[in-house]
Amino acid sequence: MASTAAGEEVPNKRVVLKHYVTGFPSADAMEVLTGTASLAVPPGSSAMVVKNLYISCDPYMRDRMTKHERPSYVPEFVLGEDLITNLCYKSLWPPPFRWYKFICLQTLVNFGVCKVTASGHSDYKVGDLVWGVTGWEEYTLVTEPESFFKIHHPELPLSYYTGVLGMPGLTAWAGFFQVGKPKKGDYVFVSAASGAVGQLVGQLAKLTGCYVVGSAGSDEKVNLLKNKFGFDEAFNYKKEADLDATLRRYFPEGIDIYFESVGGPTLEAVLENMRPHGRIPAVGMISQYNLEEKHGVRNIFQVVAKRLRMEGLLVFDYYSDYYKFEEEMAGYLKEGKISYVEDIAEGLEEAPAALIGLFTGRNVGKQLVAVARV
């Protein structure tokens, strides 16, 4: 590929949202367009231009594809005609999302791994490898570079910074240790256990000396949990007619920690099987994202009766711990104590289908898209 010069205008392929979605999304709600991008930062600004190498597909993006009647914890993606209205609400958005509404009228955004190609910021130099919230496009103008993290272990696969060394990894680490507060010998259940977060939670639990069972949506994924990630047991929830009975079979003495990523009937079954004073770190509820009428949990009184602690987690609350986490997780990877499985789609053209595949269970491991290789 020919090299590019700072200040040059280059073609810029990007993924946009054509319309807001209700119910189950489809890839045709998105479109891949080609425009242009400048490789220069505005004169006197502290912005930077990055070349996107890998972009992450994450379930929370589904919430951003729906128009919100009231502000959500992350804003909906902006359609061109809604730009002015949405800018009025930006003070309500938590970092790191609030800065990205004006990067491009319709470009989807999410976490990605990038290489700096131009910079007006003293802490970021051309050639630096970074990760943070970027556009689903080839080049992105980043107006708040300080929201990005520098990559300290480029000797490991750079794609890992969309997963095990990025947002999903920090979510697993903070959720399990800081919210779950595990003790050696605890009984741990992980739903969506073969995904970007769950596969890490199970392995961290085993390193802590816990007994771990995971659920997944195929026999292939169950095999992965037991034979690659070291779970003590695993089951295909699609083959279990009675989740309550299934959990009683695997946890006859009850569950100490449930790492919640699914919600719905799974959460109901878990509440029946929690031990007194159990902990439930809740990082997602993927079974609910495409439902127009959400599933109500009917036995929530178990939280009272069993004195349970259920706590939600948003990863940016733990950004101050990121570099501590990065060093710890990089060490586990280098020592072979943690394994990580990725599902990599090639090219922005494949990004819409890759994202939608999260909701059908098509992916095996962390889903991401390779935009460019260094």
Side-chain angles (χ1 to χ4, degrees):
M1 179 181 294
S3 62
T4 55
E8 181 182 349
E9 288 278 339
V10 295
N12 190 36
K13 197 177 296 179
R14 59 193 178 99
V15 182
V16 304
L17 184 66
K18 293 193 294 184
H19 56 80
Y20 290 118
V21 174
T22 57
F24 200 92
S26 62
D28 62 12
M30 293 166 274
E31 185 176 10
V32 181
L33 303 176
T34 300
T36 60
S38 172
L39 299 188
V41 298
S45 83
S46 60
M48 66 181 181
V49 176
V50 297
K51 180 178 183 178
N52 296 311
L53 306 177
Y54 298 96
I55 55 173
S56 180
C57 297
D58 296 296
Y60 86 93
M61 296 177 71
R62 172 61 188 84
D63 186 58
R64 305 193 69 187
M65 298 172 75
T66 295
K67 183 70 173 175
H68 300 145
E69 294 183 3
R70 61 183 65 185
S72 180
Y73 75 102
V74 288
E76 65 266 21
F77 292 125
V78 176
L79 305 181
E81 64 271 22
D82 291 330
L83 178 67
I84 302 302
T85 301
N86 276 274
L87 282 175
C88 294
Y89 294 117
K90 76 175 182 178
S91 63
L92 300 175
W93 304 332
F97 301 97
R98 67 170 59 130
W99 307 299
Y100 293 92
K101 285 295 180 175
F102 53 85
I103 288 174
C104 185
L105 290 186
Q106 302 175 51
T107 305
L108 273 66
V109 297
N110 194 25
F111 297 93
V113 176
C114 321
K115 185 175 183 178
V116 178
T117 60
S119 177
H121 197 290
S122 59
D123 292 338
Y124 296 87
K125 308 299 182 187
V126 172
D128 281 352
L129 294 168
V130 297
W131 75 271
V133 176
T134 189
W136 270 32
E137 56 189 344
E138 293 175 287
Y139 295 92
T140 298
L141 173 66
V142 177
T143 60
E144 297 280 350
E146 54 268 25
S147 68
F148 275 62
F149 295 99
K150 287 189 176 181
I151 288 174
H152 289 154
H153 291 278
E155 71 278 8
L156 293 169
L158 291 178
S159 57
Y160 278 10
Y161 282 86
T162 68
V164 59
L165 292 172
M167 180 275 286
L170 182 58
T171 299
W173 181 84
F176 186 63
F177 289 116
Q178 299 198 36
V179 180
K181 299 188 183 303
K183 303 182 298 294
K184 183 178 180 180
D186 275 349
Y187 295 92
V188 178
F189 176 51
V190 184
S191 59
S194 67
V197 175
Q199 60 177 288
L200 296 172
V201 174
Q203 292 177 85
L204 291 172
K206 290 305 299 177
L207 288 173
T208 308
C210 301
Y211 172 82
V212 187
V213 177
S215 64
S218 73
D219 292 343
E220 176 190 7
K221 293 176 181 179
V222 168
N223 180 65
L224 196 67
L225 294 178
K226 294 197 288 188
N227 297 321
K228 187 172 182 66
F229 300 139
F231 283 58
D232 293 289
E233 293 289 349
F235 62 88
N236 182 346
Y237 70 87
K238 294 179 180 178
K239 291 185 173 181
E240 302 292 338
D242 185 341
L243 281 176
D244 177 44
T246 301
L247 292 175
R248 279 189 275 115
R249 185 168 76 247
Y250 285 108
F251 294 101
E253 298 182 41
I255 300 166
D256 292 297
I257 299 174
Y258 168 49
F259 202 93
E260 164 69 308
S261 298
V262 172
T266 299
L267 177 57
E268 283 192 343
V270 167
L271 288 174
E272 295 294 331
N273 288 277
M274 292 294 295
R275 300 176 81 176
H277 304 288
R279 288 84 71 201
I280 304 176
V283 303
M285 295 191 177
I286 195 171
S287 73
Q288 304 300 292
Y289 295 162
N290 298 312
L291 300 181
E292 295 187 47
E293 184 174 341
K294 308 302 183 188
H295 180 100
V297 177
R298 296 165 294 182
N299 58 345
I300 198 69
F301 185 73
Q302 292 288 6
V303 173
V304 178
K306 297 181 177 182
R307 291 85 77 203
L308 305 178
R309 184 164 62 85
M310 183 174 183
E311 182 177 338
L313 179 146
L314 295 179
V315 70
F316 38 75
D317 290 338
Y318 297 89
Y319 272 7
S320 61
D321 295 325
Y322 174 71
Y323 287 118
K324 175 184 175 183
F325 153 77
E326 182 191 27
E327 289 306 310
E328 183 176 320
M329 188 61 76
Y332 288 147
L333 290 165
K334 291 177 181 180
E335 294 165 12
K337 293 181 178 179
I338 290 283
S339 298
Y340 202 62
V341 171
E342 300 175 306
D343 192 328
I344 304 178
E346 294 289 338
L348 281 169
E349 295 85 356
E350 299 301 319
L355 177 60
I356 299 306
L358 292 175
F359 305 107
T360 61
R362 189 186 72 175
N363 60 299
V364 177
K366 166 62 189 171
Q367 183 67 70
L368 64 140
V369 178
V371 182
R373 309 279 186 174
V374 293

